Amino acid sequence: MSTLRIGFLGAGKMATALARGFIGAGLVTPAGLSSSDPVPGAREAFARSTGARSTPSNAEVVDAADILFVSVKPAQVAALMAEISPKITPAHLVVSIAAGVPLAKLEAAVPGGTRVIRVMPNTPALVGASASAYATGRSATREDGLLAQRLLGSVGLAIEVPEKLLDAVTGLSGSGPAYAFLMIEAMADGGVAAGLPRYTAQRLAAQTLLGAAKMVLETGEHPGALKDAVCSPGGTTIEAVHELEKAGLRAALITAVRAAADKARKMA
Ligand SMILES: NC(=O)c1ccc[n+]([C@@H]2O[C@H](COP(=O)([O-])OP(=O)(O)OC[C@H]3O[C@@H](n4cnc5c(N)ncnc54)[C@H](OP(=O)(O)O)[C@@H]3O)[C@@H](O)[C@H]2O)c1
C-alpha cells in the first residue's frame, strides 16, 4: 500500500476532486491524506466525499504531509504561504494549483531551496478525466516531476509544459469544461427542438462529445480528418457543419480560449 502523505491546504471543490481521484486510483489511503479549511461546510464536504480527515489547522496538515497542495483561491495564496512557511522543511514538496500564481512568487514565499511545482488542473478530475499541465520550480527534482505526473496522471491526462505556457493552458483546459458544458446543453436543446425528450437528448449530446474526444485521443488522427470522414457527400452532417461555419463556431472558440488566457495573464 502507498506510503504517500498528502495534505490539501484549502478543502474546496478542486481539492476534493483531486483527493477523491488520488484515493480512487490507490495512490494514497484516506489515512494518508488530510486537508485544512476555515469553513466548516467545506471540511465536512471534503471528509464526506473522501473519507479523509479535514481540520481547521493548516499547521496540522503541514506536519502530517510530505506533499502539500496549495488549493486556496489565488488571492488567498500569499496569506496562506506566510502562515505555513515557517513550518516547511526540506522533506516537503509544495504543489500549487492556484491559477495565475507564478512559481517565482511561490518560491519567494517559502524557505530557499523548497521544491515547488505549479499545476493547472481542471474539474473533470472528479470523474478521473482531468486535463492538467504542470511546470516545475527551480529546486524541484526529476523525481518530483515524475511524482506530479503520477499523481495528476491518476486523475486524467497530465502534461509538463514550460511555465510561460500555463496561462494558455488555463484558457484552454482550465476553463474549457465550461465551453464543453455549453456545447452539450446547446446540442441537447437542438435535439429537443427536433423532437427528442430532454433527458435522452442530454445523454446523447454528452456521450457524443465524450466519444469524439476519445477518438481524437486514441487514434491520434487530426480532428479535421475525423470530421471529413463523417461528412458524406450531400449528407446531413455537412449541412450542419456549414451552419456551424456560418455561425462562426470555430472563431468563437478560438477567441474564447484567447480571452481566458489573456485574463489569466492579467490576473498573475
Ligand atoms: N475550480 C476549478 O475549475 C479550478 C480549475 C483549475 C484550478 N483551480 C484552482 O484551484 C484553487 C481552488 O479552487 P476551488 O474552486 O477549489 O476554490 P474553493 O472551492 O473556493 O476552495 C478554496 C477553499 O480554501 C479555503 N481557504 C481560504 N483561505 C484559506 C487558508 N488560509 N487556509 C486554508 N484554507 C483556506 C476557502 O475558504 P473561503 O471560502 O472562506 O475563502 C475555500 O473553502 C484556486 O486557486 C483555483 O485557481 C480551480
Side-chain angles (χ1 to χ4, degrees):
M1 194 38 95
S2 158
T3 52
L4 292 181
R5 300 190 313 154
I6 301 177
F8 286 88
L9 300 156
K13 293 179 284 294
M14 205 62 215
T16 306
L18 289 173
R20 273 184 55 165
F22 298 162
I23 292 169
L27 287 178
V28 63
T29 60
L33 197 144
S34 57
S35 73
S36 52
D37 200 293
V39 182
R43 292 199 297 274
E44 279 153 29
F46 184 94
R48 202 173 41 248
S49 175
T50 62
R53 76 195 172 89
S54 193
T55 155
S57 164
N58 292 326
E60 258 180 59
V61 168
V62 175
D63 285 342
D66 305 310
I67 305 165
L68 295 173
F69 275 83
V70 175
S71 45
V72 296
K73 293 279 188 214
Q76 299 161 333
V77 170
L80 171 68
M81 299 303 268
E83 182 196 333
I84 63 164
S85 180
K87 295 191 70 67
I88 289 186
T89 71
H92 284 115
L93 171 65
V94 175
V95 183
S96 168
I97 62 167
V101 181
L103 279 166
K105 229 182 219 174
L106 296 162
E107 286 172 335
V110 288
T114 301
R115 296 168 294 130
V116 181
I117 291 182
R118 180 180 160 199
V119 181
M120 175 46 59
N122 69 7
T123 46
L126 202 49
V127 291
S130 67
S132 307
Y134 63 94
T136 54
R138 273 179 307 169
S139 303
T141 63
R142 197 179 122 71
E143 285 67 36
D144 295 329
L146 291 174
L147 179 60
Q149 176 68 238
R150 199 168 132 228
L151 286 167
L152 300 166
S154 77
V155 290
L157 178 75
I159 297 178
E160 182 170 4
V161 296
E163 186 185 21
K164 64 177 193 289
L165 296 184
L166 280 178
D167 293 322
V169 169
T170 304
L172 177 56
S173 51
S175 304
Y179 321 154
F181 295 140
L182 276 180
M183 274 189 271
I184 291 169
E185 189 187 9
M187 283 170 66
D189 282 344
V192 170
L196 290 171
R198 167 69 57 186
Y199 184 56
T200 301
Q202 192 172 298
R203 288 201 306 158
L204 287 172
Q207 179 65 26
T208 300
L209 257 76
L210 178 66
K214 277 184 84 137
M215 280 183 77
V216 172
L217 289 172
E218 288 177 16
T219 66
E221 289 235 30
H222 190 287
L226 292 168
K227 181 268 292 169
D228 286 356
V230 292
C231 287
S232 45
T236 56
T237 310
I238 194 66
E239 283 296 316
V241 167
H242 186 205
E243 290 301 322
L244 292 171
E245 295 290 10
K246 277 198 288 184
L249 179 77
R250 280 178 205 254
L253 286 170
I254 292 167
T255 310
V257 172
R258 289 184 63 169
D262 285 349
K263 179 77 179 179
R265 225 164 267 131
K266 283 185 197 129
M267 282 165 69

